[in-house]
Amino acid sequence: MRKKVTLKQIAKELDVSISTVSKSLRDSPEISEDTRQKVQAFAKLYNYKPNLIALSLKNKKTKTIGVIIPEIVHHFFATVISGIEHVANEHGYNVIVTLSDESFDKEVINMEMLANGSIDGFIMSLSKETQHKKDFHHITEVINQGMPVVMFDRVTNDILCDKVIIDDNLAAYEAVRDLIDKGFKKIALITTVDYVSVGKLRTDGYIKALKTNNIAVDPKLILKIEDIDICEHQIEELINTNEIDAVFAVNELFAVTAIKAAKKINLKVPEDISVIGFTDGIISKYSSPSITTVSQNGIKMGGKAAKMLIERLESEEEEDEHYKTEVIETHLVVRESTPTL
Amino acid sequence: MRKKVTLKQIAKELDVSISTVSKSLRDSPEISEDTRQKVQAFAKLYNYKPNLIALSLKNKKTKTIGVIIPEIVHHFFATVISGIEHVANEHGYNVIVTLSDESFDKEVINMEMLANGSIDGFIMSLSKETQHKKDFHHITEVINQGMPVVMFDRVTNDILCDKVIIDDNLAAYEAVRDLIDKGFKKIALITTVDYVSVGKLRTDGYIKALKTNNIAVDPKLILKIEDIDICEHQIEELINTNEIDAVFAVNELFAVTAIKAAKKINLKVPEDISVIGFTDGIISKYSSPSITTVSQNGIKMGGKAAKMLIERLESEEEEDEHYKTEVIETHLVVRESTPTL
DNA sequence: GCACCAACCGAAAACGTTTGCGTGTTGAAA
DNA sequence: TTTCAACACGCAAACGTTTTCGGTTGGTGC
């Protein structure tokens, strides 16, 4: 077992000082051609690589980005991580991923853990519980310490920082308008409870689309789901007990569950009932019929967030205080769950 | 902006030495009750938390696990990460995730990056390219430096280390036997190219099941797919040009694509043709018909891998050299794509 | 009044780097 | 022969910890 070699060991072996070794490896003009080559050859032979922890301590930079997301077994968040990771890698950064499991406490713990020197900045999406409690002290704390934070998707206006979002309201509006344009009148909405920021925005977009097209908003057609694991029964009831033309669902799972419910009572999709979902994930693509959906490019979102964070990290401490909110464009991916006209 | 406070600052402020502060905070008996309380109160007031980088440097332990996987936008790998993360967190470890994108070079780069002090040990699954090249020098290198490695799912016998796998051969065998028991004779196989270790094992299991039941292995019924993104056409052709009772697919995507192909030529699933997949992911669950599949518990796998790694890390350098291979049990999740008898 | 022992605290080393500055040697110019 | 620049290298500090060892008090026992 050959342990990693350090400057000190090289110095001892070659009978020079540590600084000489360090300078040789960094091609300092202070060092003679002779010793430089000797040191470099030796270092290469022993496969010397500087210890990143020591560098982090010295430079007060870890070249590492901390990510906190609610869940990773979730296609959208996985794509975001993928986007973050790629951009981060291109710039020589590593990525530490932690999961809040939608829990406020875990979010706080992970944040405090990472804030103690392990990372240079955060990219995060709020947990449900945090959005519910509206308690963001852990985040402001970190920002006050001078550590940049970029929020994505589930964000809040209560915090000043860079953000990357999609226009949830507009995207929902356009999706519902598309249904209206196709002649549907009785359009149901399957959404989340209101404290989930993106759910609320999409709900608002749905309502706006109906109103601007002079369609009455029927509360019976709006289903707000608290726990995604037990949504099946509620969705079936919604579809069974109402005459519905079309369904707009704020995520993939609600959409595919709606389709299953419709099939169960022998309604054909899209002939008898149309469905539009949100988030272009695996389910929408491989469901049958495949699902028309609002695409929300997670890779782009993660990439953008990483880019913003790295730019801020490397802007020489300018402390802009001028925070930006980037909006990633969305578009409707038309598939089989809506009629082709 | 209140920067993080250090021992030195507290010491200066309270006019004591750094060591006194450190000892006070760690409740050393050397320190008088008086000063201890004073220091602790002050530290609490200024929310002192020790700098983890400094601790890492001193202790030569980072309390961080490095993970290298081929892809994260992939349900199985996401569940594994989830499993790793939870167990790691329970033991006070963080998780750095890097992606190889199925590329040998990226795998090597990420590995070398993390090996330079950032982590205490690795959990990894081989990239396709690495399995193809059979070049594992980067891994042996790391192991030789005394850093423990745990491999999962895509492993190799060429490396001695702890491993977590499922019995791919047996699982495939049992799945195919199940089809045979139901009376099917013309069972097609949709698998990967042979250098993907798990693909090969599952293929072998399929063949074994046929042979032990005296069914001839028909090469025309075996489709080996290189690139998952362009598998559709090949699968359609397989199903169109052969009389097939049933399909065994080595992953979800092949399974759902097979179902789509069957529907396209008006074959009903499971009435006309049955399908069994591998990996109990989102697609299998939400496809219609939902897909009977071999469940491969990623959470358990990741959790086990993390547990093994942490145990080795904390076994006081005993250097067992006694490597274990844990086999996670699988079972068939019966759904709609196979007949209920 | 002296020795000894707690009790309490500080100095310094160590982890592995980088870097400003000081110093010694060489050679050439005066 | 003296002087001085250029060159090559080493020292030491710094990043933030923990911990060993040593030192300074004060009190107690004789």
Side-chain angles (χ1 to χ4, degrees):
Chain A
M1 193 178 61
R2 229 177 40 177
K3 279 270 179 201
K4 287 205 80 67
V5 63
T6 69
L7 287 186
K8 192 192 275 192
Q9 290 162 29
I10 298 183
K12 196 169 158 193
E13 209 67 36
L14 261 46
D15 207 40
V16 292
S17 79
I18 296 181
S19 23
T20 302
V21 177
S22 175
K23 285 170 187 166
S24 299
L25 294 176
R26 325 201 106 251
D27 287 325
S28 157
E30 279 187 60
I31 304 297
S32 71
E33 185 64 20
D34 238 32
T35 34
R36 218 193 57 198
Q37 292 201 353
K38 205 168 56 185
V39 171
Q40 292 195 351
F42 193 90
K44 189 163 187 183
L45 179 63
Y46 280 87
N47 192 28
Y48 169 79
K49 296 273 169 51
N51 181 307
L52 296 182
I53 293 288
L55 281 181
S56 294
L57 184 59
K58 179 138 191 39
N59 301 334
K60 293 170 154 260
K61 284 190 185 174
T62 61
K63 287 289 221 169
T64 303
I65 293 175
V67 175
I68 304 181
I69 53 173
E71 254 295 354
I72 200 174
V73 189
H74 189 305
H75 189 263
F76 171 67
F77 285 122
T79 57
V80 173
I81 300 250
S82 180
I84 293 175
E85 220 268 349
H86 282 114
V87 172
N89 261 22
E90 277 171 19
H91 293 79
Y93 282 77
N94 277 320
V95 177
I96 293 192
V97 175
T98 64
L99 312 178
S100 65
D101 282 334
E102 304 285 10
S103 141
F104 174 78
D105 289 340
K106 276 203 71 179
E107 189 176 297
V108 173
I109 289 176
N110 283 327
M111 196 137 196
E112 288 180 346
M113 178 111 219
L114 293 185
N116 294 321
S118 311
I119 61 166
D120 295 339
F122 277 105
I123 296 178
M124 67 182 302
S125 190
L126 294 170
S127 83
K128 262 187 205 168
E129 205 184 341
T130 307
Q131 289 201 113
H132 197 27
K133 286 182 96 158
K134 290 184 192 297
D135 182 348
F136 309 115
H137 76 272
H138 52 303
I139 306 178
T140 52
E141 176 86 3
V142 160
I143 293 178
N144 279 337
Q145 284 170 9
M147 182 167 290
V149 173
V150 177
M151 304 185 68
F152 73 91
D153 198 53
R154 299 205 205 141
V155 304
T156 172
N157 286 327
D158 294 0
I159 299 227
L160 287 178
C161 66
D162 291 319
K163 290 164 193 166
V164 184
I165 54 171
I166 60 169
D167 191 335
D168 286 283
N169 190 307
L170 180 65
Y173 173 83
E174 290 179 347
V176 175
R177 194 189 53 193
D178 189 75
L179 290 172
I180 296 173
D181 287 349
K182 293 210 163 96
F184 300 120
K185 302 268 186 223
K186 313 199 69 168
I187 304 172
L189 170 70
I190 308 179
T191 184
T192 65
V193 282
D194 276 347
Y195 63 75
V196 178
S197 59
V198 295
K200 177 72 164 70
L201 289 168
R202 293 170 196 174
T203 302
D204 292 346
Y206 161 86
I207 292 174
K208 187 168 136 206
L210 294 191
K211 284 194 172 159
T212 51
N213 287 278
N214 297 316
I215 300 180
V217 175
D218 182 354
K220 287 203 304 297
L221 296 189
I222 297 182
L223 175 58
K224 295 190 181 176
I225 289 180
E226 173 99 38
D227 184 352
I228 205 165
D229 289 327
I230 51 170
C231 65
E232 209 172 319
H233 183 66
Q234 297 175 65
I235 291 179
E236 283 177 8
E237 196 175 306
L238 170 76
I239 293 185
N240 291 351
T241 58
N242 294 281
E243 288 260 319
I244 293 175
D245 282 330
V247 172
F248 174 58
V250 301
N251 60 44
E252 286 197 303
L253 245 107
F254 293 167
V256 74
T257 308
I259 290 182
K260 285 216 165 192
K263 280 187 181 170
K264 220 170 184 175
I265 55 173
N266 284 324
L267 291 178
K268 282 193 174 172
V269 180
E271 291 82 354
D272 301 325
I273 184 170
S274 286
V275 174
I276 292 188
F278 214 108
T279 305
D280 182 20
I282 278 201
I283 297 181
S284 305
K285 195 167 167 191
Y286 289 103
S287 152
S288 45
S290 57
I291 304 176
T292 297
T293 188
V294 177
S295 103
Q296 176 189 18
N297 194 324
I299 304 246
K300 225 180 226 172
M301 216 157 166
K304 190 77 199 173
K307 192 146 166 277
M308 287 172 85
L309 181 60
I310 291 172
E311 267 170 11
R312 198 167 278 279
L313 285 175
E314 303 193 337
S315 67
E316 303 299 332
E317 325 290 327
E318 273 170 27
E319 293 298 336
D320 260 6
E321 291 291 329
H322 184 261
Y323 296 119
K324 282 183 301 184
T325 295
E326 292 274 347
V327 178
I328 303 288
E329 71 281 9
T330 60
H331 64 277
L332 204 62
V333 180
V334 179
R335 295 215 181 86
E336 299 165 359
S337 69
T338 49
T340 50
L341 276 200
Chain B
M1 193 177 60
R2 229 178 40 178
K3 280 270 177 197
K4 287 205 81 66
V5 64
T6 69
L7 287 187
K8 192 192 278 191
Q9 291 163 27
I10 298 183
K12 196 169 158 193
E13 209 66 37
L14 261 49
D15 208 39
V16 291
S17 77
I18 295 181
S19 22
T20 303
V21 178
S22 175
K23 286 171 189 165
S24 299
L25 294 176
R26 326 201 105 253
D27 285 324
S28 158
E30 281 186 59
I31 304 297
S32 71
E33 186 64 20
D34 237 32
T35 33
R36 218 193 55 197
Q37 291 202 352
K38 207 169 52 184
V39 170
Q40 292 196 351
F42 192 89
K44 189 164 188 183
L45 179 64
Y46 280 87
N47 193 28
Y48 169 79
K49 297 275 167 55
N51 180 308
L52 296 183
I53 293 287
L55 280 181
S56 294
L57 184 59
K58 180 139 191 40
N59 301 334
K60 293 170 153 263
K61 285 190 185 173
T62 62
K63 287 289 222 170
T64 304
I65 294 174
V67 175
I68 305 181
I69 52 173
E71 254 297 354
I72 200 173
V73 188
H74 189 305
H75 188 263
F76 170 67
F77 285 121
T79 57
V80 173
I81 299 251
S82 180
I84 293 174
E85 221 268 348
H86 281 113
V87 172
N89 261 22
E90 276 172 19
H91 292 80
Y93 282 77
N94 277 319
V95 177
I96 293 191
V97 175
T98 64
L99 311 179
S100 64
D101 281 334
E102 304 285 11
S103 141
F104 173 78
D105 289 341
K106 277 202 72 180
E107 189 175 296
V108 173
I109 290 175
N110 283 327
M111 196 138 195
E112 288 180 347
M113 179 110 218
L114 292 185
N116 294 321
S118 310
I119 62 165
D120 295 340
F122 278 103
I123 296 178
M124 67 183 302
S125 190
L126 295 170
S127 81
K128 262 188 204 167
E129 205 184 342
T130 307
Q131 290 201 115
H132 198 27
K133 287 182 95 158
K134 292 184 190 298
D135 182 350
F136 308 116
H137 76 273
H138 52 302
I139 306 178
T140 51
E141 177 84 5
V142 160
I143 294 178
N144 278 337
Q145 285 170 10
M147 182 169 288
V149 173
V150 176
M151 304 185 67
F152 72 90
D153 197 52
R154 298 204 207 144
V155 305
T156 172
N157 286 328
D158 294 0
I159 299 229
L160 287 178
C161 67
D162 290 320
K163 290 163 193 166
V164 185
I165 54 172
I166 61 168
D167 191 336
D168 286 283
N169 190 308
L170 180 65
Y173 173 84
E174 289 178 348
V176 175
R177 194 187 56 194
D178 189 75
L179 289 172
I180 296 173
D181 286 350
K182 293 209 161 96
F184 300 120
K185 302 268 187 223
K186 313 199 68 168
I187 304 172
L189 169 70
I190 308 180
T191 184
T192 65
V193 282
D194 276 348
Y195 63 75
V196 179
S197 60
V198 294
K200 176 74 165 70
L201 289 169
R202 293 171 197 174
T203 302
D204 292 346
Y206 160 87
I207 292 175
K208 186 168 137 205
L210 294 192
K211 284 192 173 160
T212 51
N213 286 278
N214 296 317
I215 300 181
V217 176
D218 182 354
K220 286 203 305 296
L221 295 189
I222 298 182
L223 175 59
K224 295 187 180 175
I225 289 179
E226 172 99 38
D227 185 353
I228 205 163
D229 289 326
I230 51 170
C231 65
E232 208 172 320
H233 183 67
Q234 297 174 66
I235 291 179
E236 284 179 7
E237 197 175 303
L238 170 76
I239 294 184
N240 290 351
T241 59
N242 295 281
E243 288 259 320
I244 293 174
D245 282 332
V247 171
F248 174 57
V250 300
N251 61 44
E252 286 197 304
L253 244 106
F254 293 167
V256 74
T257 308
I259 291 182
K260 284 216 163 192
K263 280 187 180 169
K264 221 170 182 176
I265 56 172
N266 284 323
L267 291 178
K268 282 194 174 171
V269 180
E271 292 82 355
D272 302 323
I273 185 169
S274 286
V275 175
I276 292 187
F278 213 107
T279 307
D280 183 20
I282 276 200
I283 296 182
S284 304
K285 194 166 167 193
Y286 289 103
S287 152
S288 46
S290 57
I291 304 177
T292 297
T293 188
V294 177
S295 102
Q296 175 189 19
N297 194 324
I299 305 245
K300 224 181 226 171
M301 217 159 165
K304 189 76 197 175
K307 191 145 168 277
M308 288 172 84
L309 181 61
I310 291 172
E311 268 171 11
R312 198 167 277 278
L313 286 174
E314 303 193 337
S315 67
E316 302 298 332
E317 326 290 326
E318 274 171 26
E319 293 297 335
D320 260 6
E321 291 291 328
H322 185 263
Y323 296 119
K324 283 184 299 185
T325 295
E326 292 274 347
V327 178
I328 304 287
E329 70 281 7
T330 60
H331 64 276
L332 204 61
V333 180
V334 179
R335 295 216 182 85
E336 301 165 358
S337 68
T338 48
T340 49
L341 277 199

